[in-house]
Amino acid sequence: MGENTTNRTVGALAAAVALLAAAACGTNAVQSSAGLAARAAATPATSPSDMSPSEMPPSDMTPAPSGSESPSQGPSMSQQDRLTKIGDAAAAAVPDTTVTSLELAENGKAWKVSVVDDEGTEHTMRIDAETAKVITGPTAEQDDATEKAEYLEMAKAATVAYDEAAEKAMAEAEGAMVTELKLENWQGKVVWKAELRTPEGVKKKVMIDAAEGTVITPSPKATPTMESTG
Protein backbone atom coordinates (compact mmCIF):
# COMPACT_ATOMS: atom_id res chain seq x y z
CA MET A 1 0.00 0.00 0.00
CA GLY A 2 2.73 2.52 0.90
CA GLU A 3 4.87 1.47 -2.02
CA ASN A 4 2.08 2.08 -4.53
CA THR A 5 1.49 5.51 -3.13
CA THR A 6 5.15 6.33 -3.48
CA ASN A 7 5.16 5.17 -7.09
CA ARG A 8 2.13 7.27 -7.93
CA THR A 9 3.80 10.30 -6.32
CA VAL A 10 7.00 9.83 -8.33
CA GLY A 11 5.03 9.43 -11.55
CA ALA A 12 3.08 12.63 -10.92
CA LEU A 13 6.27 14.52 -10.23
CA ALA A 14 7.82 13.23 -13.48
CA ALA A 15 4.75 14.27 -15.44
CA ALA A 16 4.87 17.73 -13.92
CA VAL A 17 8.53 18.09 -14.82
CA ALA A 18 7.75 17.06 -18.38
CA LEU A 19 4.95 19.60 -18.62
CA LEU A 20 7.20 22.36 -17.32
CA ALA A 21 9.90 21.45 -19.83
CA ALA A 22 7.41 21.50 -22.69
CA ALA A 23 6.09 24.87 -21.58
CA ALA A 24 9.61 26.26 -21.43
CA CYS A 25 10.34 25.06 -24.95
CA GLY A 26 7.17 26.71 -26.27
CA THR A 27 8.05 30.00 -24.66
CA ASN A 28 11.53 29.93 -26.21
CA ALA A 29 10.03 29.18 -29.64
CA VAL A 30 7.65 32.11 -29.37
CA GLN A 31 10.45 34.39 -28.22
CA SER A 32 12.67 33.20 -31.06
CA SER A 33 9.96 33.93 -33.64
CA ALA A 34 9.35 37.34 -32.12
CA GLY A 35 13.06 38.07 -32.19
CA LEU A 36 13.33 37.18 -35.89
CA ALA A 37 10.37 39.36 -36.75
CA ALA A 38 11.88 42.28 -34.84
CA ARG A 39 15.22 41.93 -36.61
CA ALA A 40 13.49 41.74 -39.98
CA ALA A 41 11.57 44.93 -39.25
CA ALA A 42 14.76 46.70 -38.18
CA THR A 43 16.64 45.75 -41.37
CA PRO A 44 16.17 48.49 -44.07
CA ALA A 45 14.83 47.35 -47.42
CA THR A 46 17.33 47.39 -50.27
CA SER A 47 16.17 49.31 -53.34
CA PRO A 48 17.34 48.38 -56.88
CA SER A 49 19.38 51.58 -57.03
CA ASP A 50 21.42 50.43 -54.01
CA MET A 51 22.22 47.08 -55.56
CA SER A 52 25.44 46.32 -57.35
CA PRO A 53 25.12 45.00 -60.92
CA SER A 54 25.69 41.45 -59.67
CA GLU A 55 22.85 41.83 -57.14
CA MET A 56 20.32 43.16 -59.59
CA PRO A 57 17.50 40.79 -60.47
CA PRO A 58 17.34 39.62 -64.08
CA SER A 59 15.31 41.87 -66.37
CA ASP A 60 13.08 40.86 -69.24
CA MET A 61 13.74 44.19 -70.94
CA THR A 62 16.37 44.09 -73.65
CA PRO A 63 17.85 47.49 -74.50
CA ALA A 64 17.37 48.56 -78.10
CA PRO A 65 20.51 48.60 -80.22
CA SER A 66 22.00 51.99 -80.83
CA GLY A 67 21.15 51.81 -84.52
CA SER A 68 17.45 51.20 -83.96
CA GLU A 69 16.46 54.87 -83.81
CA SER A 70 14.56 56.28 -86.74
CA PRO A 71 16.92 58.08 -89.12
CA SER A 72 16.56 61.83 -88.95
CA GLN A 73 15.33 63.44 -92.09
CA GLY A 74 17.26 66.38 -93.46
CA PRO A 75 15.54 69.70 -93.77
CA SER A 76 13.49 70.19 -96.90
CA MET A 77 14.87 72.49 -99.57
CA SER A 78 13.92 76.09 -98.91
CA GLN A 79 12.33 78.43 -101.44
CA GLN A 80 15.61 80.31 -101.65
CA ASP A 81 17.56 77.13 -102.42
CA ARG A 82 15.05 76.03 -105.05
CA LEU A 83 15.16 79.38 -106.78
CA THR A 84 18.96 79.37 -106.76
CA LYS A 85 18.98 75.87 -108.22
CA ILE A 86 16.66 76.96 -111.02
CA GLY A 87 18.75 80.04 -111.82
CA ASP A 88 22.00 78.08 -111.77
CA ALA A 89 20.53 75.54 -114.19
CA ALA A 90 19.59 78.32 -116.59
CA ALA A 91 23.03 79.93 -116.39
CA ALA A 92 24.64 76.55 -117.00
CA ALA A 93 22.46 75.96 -120.07
CA VAL A 94 23.87 79.13 -121.66
CA PRO A 95 27.35 79.81 -120.24
CA ASP A 96 28.65 83.33 -119.60
CA THR A 97 25.19 84.82 -119.17
CA THR A 98 23.29 86.77 -116.52
CA VAL A 99 19.94 85.61 -115.18
CA THR A 100 17.52 88.49 -115.76
CA SER A 101 14.10 86.96 -115.24
CA LEU A 102 12.42 84.04 -113.46
CA GLU A 103 8.67 83.46 -113.58
CA LEU A 104 6.70 80.59 -112.12
CA ALA A 105 4.54 78.95 -114.79
CA GLU A 106 2.34 75.93 -115.50
CA ASN A 107 0.67 76.10 -112.09
CA GLY A 108 3.98 75.92 -110.32
CA LYS A 109 5.34 72.97 -112.28
CA ALA A 110 7.94 74.95 -114.21
CA TRP A 111 9.87 78.21 -114.31
CA LYS A 112 10.25 80.40 -117.35
CA VAL A 113 13.77 81.79 -117.15
CA SER A 114 15.62 84.37 -119.24
CA VAL A 115 19.35 84.96 -119.39
CA VAL A 116 21.31 87.62 -121.31
CA ASP A 117 24.69 87.00 -122.90
CA ASP A 118 27.55 89.47 -123.35
CA GLU A 119 26.08 90.67 -126.65
CA GLY A 120 22.69 91.50 -125.19
CA THR A 121 20.91 88.53 -126.70
CA GLU A 122 18.17 87.16 -124.50
CA HIS A 123 17.81 83.38 -124.18
CA THR A 124 14.64 81.88 -122.74
CA MET A 125 13.89 78.39 -121.48
CA ARG A 126 11.55 76.43 -119.27
CA ILE A 127 12.93 74.53 -116.30
CA ASP A 128 11.21 71.83 -114.27
CA ALA A 129 10.40 73.25 -110.83
CA GLU A 130 11.12 69.95 -109.09
CA THR A 131 14.18 68.58 -110.86
CA ALA A 132 15.68 71.88 -112.08
CA LYS A 133 16.23 70.31 -115.49
CA VAL A 134 15.69 72.26 -118.71
CA ILE A 135 12.42 71.20 -120.33
CA THR A 136 12.43 73.39 -123.44
CA GLY A 137 15.05 75.70 -124.87
CA PRO A 138 17.19 77.59 -124.48
CA THR A 139 15.98 79.71 -127.34
CA ALA A 140 17.72 82.89 -128.51
CA GLU A 141 15.21 85.69 -128.95
CA GLN A 142 15.28 87.72 -132.15
CA ASP A 143 15.47 91.16 -130.53
CA ASP A 144 16.49 94.33 -132.32
CA ALA A 145 19.65 96.28 -131.54
CA THR A 146 17.88 98.70 -129.20
CA GLU A 147 16.42 95.92 -127.09
CA LYS A 148 19.73 94.10 -126.96
CA ALA A 149 21.50 97.27 -125.80
CA GLU A 150 18.91 97.75 -123.06
CA TYR A 151 19.21 94.14 -121.88
CA LEU A 152 22.97 94.35 -121.84
CA GLU A 153 22.96 97.63 -119.94
CA MET A 154 20.67 96.23 -117.24
CA ALA A 155 22.69 93.04 -116.95
CA LYS A 156 25.91 94.98 -116.43
CA ALA A 157 24.30 97.35 -113.91
CA ALA A 158 22.93 94.50 -111.80
CA THR A 159 25.74 93.93 -109.34
CA VAL A 160 23.14 92.30 -107.08
CA ALA A 161 22.41 88.85 -108.50
CA TYR A 162 18.94 87.36 -108.76
CA ASP A 163 19.38 85.04 -105.76
CA GLU A 164 20.43 87.85 -103.45
CA ALA A 165 17.55 89.99 -104.67
CA ALA A 166 15.13 87.12 -104.02
CA GLU A 167 16.46 86.70 -100.51
CA LYS A 168 15.99 90.39 -99.77
CA ALA A 169 12.47 90.35 -101.20
CA MET A 170 11.42 87.33 -99.14
CA ALA A 171 12.78 89.00 -96.02
CA GLU A 172 10.12 91.67 -96.56
CA ALA A 173 7.30 89.13 -96.37
CA GLU A 174 7.93 86.30 -93.93
CA GLY A 175 6.89 82.92 -95.28
CA ALA A 176 6.14 84.25 -98.76
CA MET A 177 7.48 82.65 -101.92
CA VAL A 178 8.73 84.39 -105.04
CA THR A 179 6.53 83.83 -108.06
CA GLU A 180 8.31 86.29 -110.37
CA LEU A 181 11.61 88.13 -110.33
CA LYS A 182 12.55 90.38 -113.20
CA LEU A 183 15.24 92.93 -113.98
CA GLU A 184 13.74 96.23 -115.12
CA ASN A 185 14.41 99.95 -115.54
CA TRP A 186 12.49 102.06 -113.05
CA GLN A 187 12.81 105.84 -112.70
CA GLY A 188 16.36 105.85 -114.01
CA LYS A 189 17.43 102.87 -111.90
CA VAL A 190 17.88 99.22 -112.66
CA VAL A 191 15.80 97.25 -110.19
CA TRP A 192 14.70 93.76 -109.44
CA LYS A 193 10.91 93.64 -109.41
CA ALA A 194 9.73 90.79 -107.23
CA GLU A 195 6.24 89.41 -106.92
CA LEU A 196 5.54 87.17 -103.96
CA ARG A 197 2.65 85.13 -102.59
CA THR A 198 2.12 84.53 -98.89
CA PRO A 199 0.91 81.21 -97.43
CA GLU A 200 -2.53 82.84 -97.18
CA GLY A 201 -2.50 83.55 -100.92
CA VAL A 202 -1.95 87.31 -100.60
CA LYS A 203 0.19 88.86 -103.35
CA LYS A 204 3.03 91.21 -102.44
CA LYS A 205 5.33 93.33 -104.59
CA VAL A 206 8.81 94.50 -103.70
CA MET A 207 11.56 96.26 -105.65
CA ILE A 208 15.25 95.90 -104.92
CA ASP A 209 17.88 98.31 -106.20
CA ALA A 210 19.97 96.06 -108.47
CA ALA A 211 23.12 98.10 -107.89
CA GLU A 212 22.95 98.75 -104.15
CA GLY A 213 20.73 95.96 -102.90
CA THR A 214 18.43 98.26 -100.95
CA VAL A 215 14.68 97.77 -100.74
CA ILE A 216 12.97 100.55 -102.67
CA THR A 217 9.33 99.77 -102.02
CA PRO A 218 7.80 99.90 -98.54
CA SER A 219 7.26 96.70 -96.60
CA PRO A 220 4.82 94.38 -98.42
CA LYS A 221 2.66 94.52 -95.30
CA ALA A 222 1.23 97.68 -96.87
CA THR A 223 0.60 95.75 -100.12
CA PRO A 224 2.18 98.43 -102.34
CA THR A 225 1.71 98.51 -106.10
CA MET A 226 4.22 99.58 -108.70
CA GLU A 227 2.11 102.61 -109.57
CA SER A 228 2.14 103.85 -105.98
CA THR A 229 5.93 103.88 -105.76
CA GLY A 230 6.43 106.77 -108.14
Side-chain angles (χ1 to χ4, degrees):
M1 181 79 178
E3 184 178 354
N4 290 335
T5 301
T6 301
N7 288 338
R8 286 197 297 270
T9 302
V10 172
L13 288 173
V17 171
L19 289 172
L20 289 172
C25 289
T27 303
N28 290 337
V30 172
Q31 290 176 346
S32 177
S33 299
L36 289 172
R39 285 195 297 273
T43 303
T46 303
S47 66
S49 61
D50 296 328
M51 294 182 181
S52 65
S54 62
E55 296 173 327
M56 291 290 289
S59 173
D60 294 331
M61 298 295 291
T62 303
S66 59
S68 63
E69 294 86 0
S70 299
S72 59
Q73 299 294 329
S76 60
M77 187 178 292
S78 67
Q79 160 73 0
Q80 176 68 32
D81 291 337
R82 288 183 182 277
L83 200 62
T84 300
K85 193 174 181 179
I86 296 297
D88 288 349
V94 187
D96 301 322
T97 56
T98 300
V99 176
T100 57
S101 176
L102 302 97
E103 182 180 358
L104 196 59
E106 299 177 16
N107 294 320
K109 295 181 179 180
W111 287 85
K112 180 181 178 181
V113 186
S114 298
V115 297
V116 172
D117 62 24
D118 55 5
E119 294 182 354
T121 301
E122 185 180 44
H123 304 260
T124 60
M125 66 200 83
R126 287 183 180 270
I127 298 178
D128 188 283
E130 186 66 27
T131 64
K133 292 183 178 180
V134 177
I135 303 172
T136 59
T139 302
E141 300 296 328
Q142 301 300 315
D143 300 313
D144 59 32
T146 302
E147 290 174 322
K148 287 184 178 181
E150 182 180 0
Y151 293 152
L152 185 58
E153 181 182 0
M154 288 192 297
K156 289 182 177 180
T159 57
V160 175
Y162 74 94
D163 52 348
E164 184 180 352
E167 182 178 10
K168 290 179 178 293
M170 286 188 287
E172 292 292 304
E174 185 177 357
M177 66 175 292
V178 173
T179 57
E180 184 177 356
L181 185 65
K182 188 175 182 180
L183 204 58
E184 292 186 352
N185 280 311
W186 178 80
Q187 293 189 357
K189 291 184 177 183
V190 176
V191 300
W192 285 104
K193 182 187 74 174
E195 294 188 7
L196 306 97
R197 185 174 65 248
T198 69
E200 296 76 24
V202 179
K203 294 182 179 180
K204 306 289 184 181
K205 293 183 180 181
V206 184
M207 284 197 298
I208 308 295
D209 189 308
E212 300 178 0
T214 55
V215 178
I216 297 176
T217 53
S219 169
K221 294 178 182 179
T223 60
T225 62
M226 288 301 171
E227 290 76 17
S228 64
T229 59

